[in-house]
């Protein structure tokens, strides 16, 4: 892509866009906002040119770019913390009711962004804490701690709703 | 030992986040302006291998410089006997022409004893005149 190759950009998108979109939904709680965030990341990466040559792990780098873009936008917007996580789907026959899905999505949406991010990346994307740490730019124990706090938060919220 | 997933983890695993919409790729490709082709200078500058090599070379140079300061320092050589003899003659003529001994000593030290410390050069020039 540093050679100004559009094919390379398309390949980069195909390889990383699904995971980035998941990450973006976890952060923004909205697929529409997630689309904007992901688009912004790829547009920015395309303009980086030669600086891309110094990047070893493109995936982790793109995730960190996404995260920084989100935090930057959040600082400017001052996002409220009570919106449910929208866009998540339950496959047919999963044994979970619509009410359960809504409750879980709502509970996830109420978690602080960093904890929600750790829970979604670890559980929904199946990433190890090492990978979560690389993507979020924090030490492994911080990623694990955020996940534990997030799960504790979910238990607390869902338990209180019963 | 891996602990079994609890109920909430199981319920979370049943959720799926939708894939990015198909037209997102089209939008990304349309909105992206690719930077011009990287020049060879950029390739060198941004290459991790080059940066590592440059850092290693710098460390090696500093190490060699520090090491040689204690081991290979070249002592500044003073003037040879012939130069001293000639200086004495020049100084004597200078004194005869009316210059002071101190002024001649300073003059000769600048020419003959450049490279040694000021104190040493004064001492050597003074000794040569005596």
């Amino acid at each position: 892509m540093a050679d100004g190759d559009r094919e390379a950009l398309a390949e980069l998108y195909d390889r990383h866009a699904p995971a980035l979109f998941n990450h973006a939904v976890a952060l923004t709680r909205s697929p529409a906002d997630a689309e904007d965030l992901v688009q912004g990341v790829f547009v920015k990466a395309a303009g980086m040119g030669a600086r891309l040559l110094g990047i070893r792990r493109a995936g982790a780098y793109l995730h960190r770019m996404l995260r920084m873009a989100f935090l930057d936008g959040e600082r400017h917007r001052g996002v409220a913390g009570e919106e449910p996580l929208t866009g998540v789907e339950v496959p047919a026959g999963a044994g979970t009711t619509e009410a359960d899905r809504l409750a879980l999505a709502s509970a996830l949406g109420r978690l602080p962004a960093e904890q929600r991010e750790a829970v979604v990346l670890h559980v929904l994307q199946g990433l190890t804490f090492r990978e979560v740490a690389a993507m979020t730019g924090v030490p492994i124990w911080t990623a694990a701690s955020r996940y534990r706090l997030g799960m504790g938060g979910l238990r607390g919220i869902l338990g209180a709703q019963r | 030992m891996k602990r079994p997933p609890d109920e909430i983890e199981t319920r979370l695993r049943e959720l799926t986040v939708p894939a990015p919409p198909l037209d997102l790729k089209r939008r990304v490709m349309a909105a992206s302006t690719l930077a011009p082709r990287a020049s060879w200078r950029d390739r060198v500058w941004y290459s991790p291998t080059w940066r590592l090599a440059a850092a290693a070379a710098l460390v090696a140079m500093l190490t060699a410089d520090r090491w040689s300061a204690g081991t290979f320092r070249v002592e500044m050589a003073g003037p040879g006997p012939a130069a001293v003899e000639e200086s004495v003659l020049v100084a004597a003529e200078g004194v005869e022409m009316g210059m002071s001994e101190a002024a001649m000593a300073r003059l000769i030290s600048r020419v003959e004893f450049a490279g040694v410390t000021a104190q040493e050069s004064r001492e050597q020039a003074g000794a040569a005149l005596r």
Side-chain angles (χ1 to χ4, degrees), chain A residues 18-138:
Chain A
L20 281 169
F21 187 71
N22 271 3
H23 191 175
V25 169
L27 288 169
T28 62
R29 293 170 288 190
S30 147
D33 290 344
E35 283 178 35
D36 292 342
L37 207 54
V38 170
Q39 182 176 335
V41 165
F42 279 105
V43 168
K44 197 172 174 186
M48 284 175 67
R51 277 179 292 157
L52 289 170
L53 295 167
I55 297 163
R56 285 187 181 175
R57 286 184 297 172
Y61 188 82
L62 290 172
H63 279 273
R64 285 200 297 272
M65 275 176 75
L66 179 103
R67 196 164 191 279
M68 279 194 287
F70 166 74
L71 293 174
D72 222 31
E74 199 180 42
R75 259 195 297 275
H76 287 106
R77 285 197 310 269
V79 173
E82 295 293 323
E83 298 165 30
L85 187 77
T86 55
V88 288
E89 292 167 351
V90 184
T96 310
T97 66
E98 180 67 9
D100 284 344
R101 182 188 72 80
L102 287 173
L104 195 55
S106 167
L108 264 175
R110 287 171 65 183
L111 291 180
E114 289 169 342
Q115 293 174 18
R116 184 170 60 247
E117 176 186 42
V119 168
V120 169
L121 290 176
H122 183 60
V123 180
L124 287 179
Q125 289 201 30
L127 300 177
T128 62
F129 288 129
R130 183 183 293 276
E131 289 166 328
V132 174
M135 286 179 174
T136 53
V138 296

Side-chain angles (χ1 to χ4, degrees), chain A residues 2-3 6 13-14 21-22 35 39 42 46 49-51 54 87-89 91 94 96 100 124 147 151 155 162, chain B residues 6-9 11-18 20-21 24-25 27-29 32-35 38 42-43 46 48:
Chain A
D3 288 336
R6 294 197 85 77
Y13 179 92
D14 291 339
F21 187 71
N22 271 3
E35 283 178 35
Q39 182 176 335
F42 279 105
R51 277 179 292 157
V88 288
E89 292 167 351
T96 310
D100 284 344
L124 287 179
Y147 169 76
M151 291 303 290
R155 278 186 209 101
R162 284 180 182 161
Chain B
D6 67 10
E7 187 218 336
I8 292 175
E9 261 189 38
R11 283 170 61 189
L12 277 171
R13 283 182 210 282
E14 288 167 356
L15 299 176
T16 53
V17 178
L24 183 59
K25 183 175 179 180
R27 277 189 278 150
V28 164
M29 297 305 288
S32 299
T33 310
L34 284 164
D42 289 333
R43 287 183 183 284
Y46 287 107

